[in-house]
Amino acid sequence: MSEVIKIKKGLDIPLKGKADKVFGQAQLPDLFAIKPTDFNGVVPKMVIKEGEKVKAGSVLFFDKYQPDVKFVSPVSGHLEAVIRGERRKILEVVVKSDGKNETIDFGKEDISSLERGAVIKKMQEAGAWPYLRQRPYDVIAKPEHTPKAIYISGFDTAPLAPDYDFIMTGKEKEFQAGIDVLKKLCENIHIGINDEAASKLYLNTKGVEIHRFSGPHPAGNAGIQIHHVMPVNKGETVWTIKPQEVAALGNLFTTGKHDFSRTIVVAGSEIKKPAYYHTVVGACIAPYISNNINTDEHVRLISGNVLTGTQISEEGYLGFYHSQLTAIPEGDDYEFLGWAKPGFEKYSVSRTYFSWLQPRKEYRLNANIHGGKRAIVLSGVYEKVLPMDILPEQLFKAILVEDIDKMEQLGIYELAEEDVALCEFVCPSKMNLQKILRNGIELMIKELG
């Protein structure tokens, strides 16, 4: 029995709209999209043109700087559109499904007989390599490197996050096969589990080391768990992957076909019936919110959770790594001197309102940041929600002045945007700390490689 690592710092935001463990019914959409913006540092180069036919597994584009890292279509059909932004930056590669689900057969494999190079090649050809991300920098793993470990967080503590134990029910064989594949890349496979609800799936998995965690968000973040188990030092890398992606990897090698099916949760205070849905990577969200959203309110739709997700439209698409769709009020109705009222219906981290007397109350929070940007003041609030042995306020200041030596000394190698999302939530300065951190990471990559 492994020792329980207790995370004491952090914050569970009590949002309304959590989904019960039930499945909703919705038809698969016609449109699906792979968004290059989901992949840090990737510069896409298109392989096919609009109108060309594709199968599930056909290459859509590859990374200019890593041509072997390919991104493939999740369905069969044809390339509907390439959506571009400023300076012709590719934002979305949209595929229209023909409903036939024709899939490229990459061939079954005897996992036990494969060499590391063969595993890497097959994952690249099938478009499965982007599942692996590395720390530091939270970018797609570099196949020429061997990590000191591969880490899987078996639970998610973000607001309204899906229950991975529920999602992974019935996928035990595929998950174990995925683990066997990963062990060809690195012998050290670690899984972090929730001590309060330890899943039999993970406990019965062979060839892994289990770590138990308890505590508030961000206890479920892979980066937080890695910090407490195997801190990432300069020159070291740890790869991460999510449970559903491990199962997809196992399915690829045992059946020869890349399985793009996913289970997502649709939740939030503005969803009428929060529930889980079976879908496909990059699906258009329209079928999952049709007649299921509060039309009396201006609603913000988020692919992902409220802390780290991406705002999308009603015709938008799920992010590549997202297993969650969240709907909350936009918050564009302003209240005069709202801060001066008792506020029993308002949530506050600092106990500004009397609502702190109701610790189990759930709130209908909106996207309004309630203030403008101000200078970062050393107040100690970041340290209260970031369970890492670093000095986050000093780190952000070092990033702003582009002091690379200080950034290294203050622990930038261990951080990804999701790890500082709570710092941004409680930040009195209203600064976009996730963007600041990404700018610092890109500067590190540019200067140090």
Side-chain angles (χ1 to χ4, degrees):
M1 186 69 68
S2 59
E3 180 184 354
V4 177
I5 300 174
K6 297 181 180 180
I7 304 297
K8 297 181 179 180
K9 296 180 179 180
L11 177 67
D12 287 327
I13 303 174
L15 290 184
K16 280 186 177 180
K18 188 173 181 63
D20 293 327
K21 295 179 183 179
V22 296
F23 282 98
Q25 300 296 322
Q27 289 187 341
L28 280 177
D30 293 330
L31 298 176
F32 300 81
I34 302 298
K35 298 182 279 189
T37 51
D38 288 338
F39 312 100
N40 293 325
V42 167
V43 177
K45 298 289 289 185
M46 293 299 301
V47 172
I48 63 173
K49 298 179 181 179
E50 292 184 14
E52 289 189 32
K53 292 184 178 181
V54 296
K55 293 183 178 180
S58 296
V59 179
L60 300 175
F61 60 91
F62 61 88
D63 182 10
K64 177 181 178 180
Y65 298 111
Q66 295 188 85
D68 290 333
V69 178
K70 301 171 183 177
F71 302 84
V72 300
S73 174
V75 294
S76 62
H78 68 271
L79 182 59
E80 179 74 3
V82 178
I83 309 299
R84 297 178 182 269
E86 295 181 2
R87 300 184 180 181
R88 294 185 56 78
K89 179 181 179 180
I90 299 176
L91 303 178
E92 298 173 342
V93 179
V94 182
V95 176
K96 186 170 185 178
S97 173
D98 57 11
K100 298 178 180 179
N101 196 30
E102 296 179 344
T103 306
I104 293 177
D105 191 341
F106 295 97
K108 299 180 183 179
E109 301 282 0
D110 178 6
I111 299 173
S112 63
S113 65
L114 290 176
E115 298 293 333
R116 188 176 192 272
V119 171
I120 292 174
K121 183 177 180 180
K122 190 178 186 70
M123 289 179 63
Q124 291 174 336
E125 291 299 319
W129 190 259
Y131 292 153
L132 288 167
R133 290 181 286 177
Q134 75 168 43
R135 300 297 177 96
Y137 305 146
D138 195 31
V139 295
I140 294 174
K142 298 188 181 299
E144 63 271 20
H145 296 166
T146 300
K148 70 174 183 178
I150 295 178
Y151 199 94
I152 304 162
S153 176
F155 67 107
D156 193 342
T157 51
L160 306 178
D163 185 329
Y164 278 122
D165 291 351
F166 179 65
I167 284 178
M168 296 298 292
T169 300
K171 298 182 179 180
E172 292 82 4
K173 291 183 179 179
E174 292 88 347
F175 187 81
Q176 182 62 65
I179 293 295
D180 295 339
V181 172
L182 293 175
K183 287 187 73 66
K184 295 293 181 177
L185 302 176
C186 176
E187 279 294 325
N188 300 318
I189 310 294
H190 299 255
I191 302 179
I193 66 173
N194 186 351
D195 182 60
E196 297 176 2
S199 169
K200 292 183 179 179
L201 169 68
Y202 306 126
L203 294 176
N204 294 334
T205 301
K206 300 177 182 177
V208 300
E209 186 173 342
I210 299 293
H211 305 279
R212 297 172 179 268
F213 292 85
S214 67
H217 184 65
N221 286 7
I224 301 299
Q225 296 176 18
I226 290 170
H227 174 82
H228 287 83
V229 174
M230 58 184 87
V232 180
N233 300 310
K234 185 176 181 179
E236 297 177 337
T237 60
V238 174
W239 293 356
T240 65
I241 186 172
K242 294 187 175 182
Q244 288 198 89
E245 296 162 355
V246 176
L249 195 57
N251 193 78
L252 169 64
F253 281 79
T254 55
T255 69
K257 296 183 179 181
H258 194 161
D259 180 16
F260 295 95
S261 63
R262 296 291 186 273
T263 300
I264 65 167
V265 66
V266 179
S269 60
E270 305 313 294
I271 296 294
K272 295 178 181 178
K273 295 181 179 180
Y276 289 79
Y277 290 86
H278 295 299
T279 186
V280 172
V281 171
C284 177
I285 67 168
Y288 309 107
I289 61 171
S290 178
N291 301 318
N292 193 28
I293 197 169
N294 182 7
T295 56
D296 297 331
E297 184 78 30
H298 184 193
V299 175
R300 175 171 294 198
L301 295 168
I302 302 167
S303 175
N305 65 65
V306 293
L307 294 173
T308 62
T310 305
Q311 182 179 359
I312 56 176
S313 69
E314 294 184 7
E315 299 296 327
Y317 305 91
L318 288 169
F320 186 84
Y321 298 110
H322 292 157
S323 301
Q324 180 176 351
L325 173 63
T326 313
I328 61 173
E330 182 62 42
D332 46 11
D333 49 340
Y334 299 95
E335 183 180 10
F336 181 66
L337 294 180
W339 56 270
K341 299 178 181 179
F344 284 101
E345 297 299 319
K346 297 178 181 178
Y347 176 69
S348 173
V349 177
S350 60
R351 297 189 174 186
T352 301
Y353 304 113
F354 289 122
S355 56
W356 69 269
L357 296 170
Q358 301 170 292
R360 297 185 179 181
K361 183 178 178 63
E362 294 181 339
Y363 297 86
R364 185 170 170 265
L365 302 184
N366 58 43
N368 196 319
I369 64 172
H370 301 289
K373 293 182 179 179
R374 299 182 287 274
I376 295 179
V377 178
L378 296 178
S379 59
V381 294
Y382 299 169
E383 284 86 347
K384 293 180 180 179
V385 295
L386 180 62
M388 284 184 168
D389 188 21
I390 64 174
L391 300 173
E393 292 174 331
Q394 289 83 346
L395 173 59
F396 288 121
K397 286 180 176 289
I399 293 172
L400 291 172
V401 298
E402 300 186 357
D403 188 335
I404 291 178
D405 291 337
K406 280 290 184 183
M407 289 156 61
E408 283 186 315
Q409 295 169 12
L410 292 169
I412 194 170
Y413 290 124
E414 295 201 64
L415 289 173
E417 287 98 313
E418 65 178 9
D419 300 323
V420 301
L422 273 177
C423 297
E424 184 175 315
F425 178 73
V426 302
C427 180
S429 69
K430 312 299 180 184
M431 298 292 285
N432 189 340
L433 300 182
Q434 295 181 68
K435 184 176 180 180
I436 292 174
L437 178 61
R438 177 47 54 183
N439 290 341
I441 289 172
E442 290 177 356
L443 178 62
M444 296 287 290
I445 294 174
K446 180 181 178 181
E447 296 295 328
L448 304 178

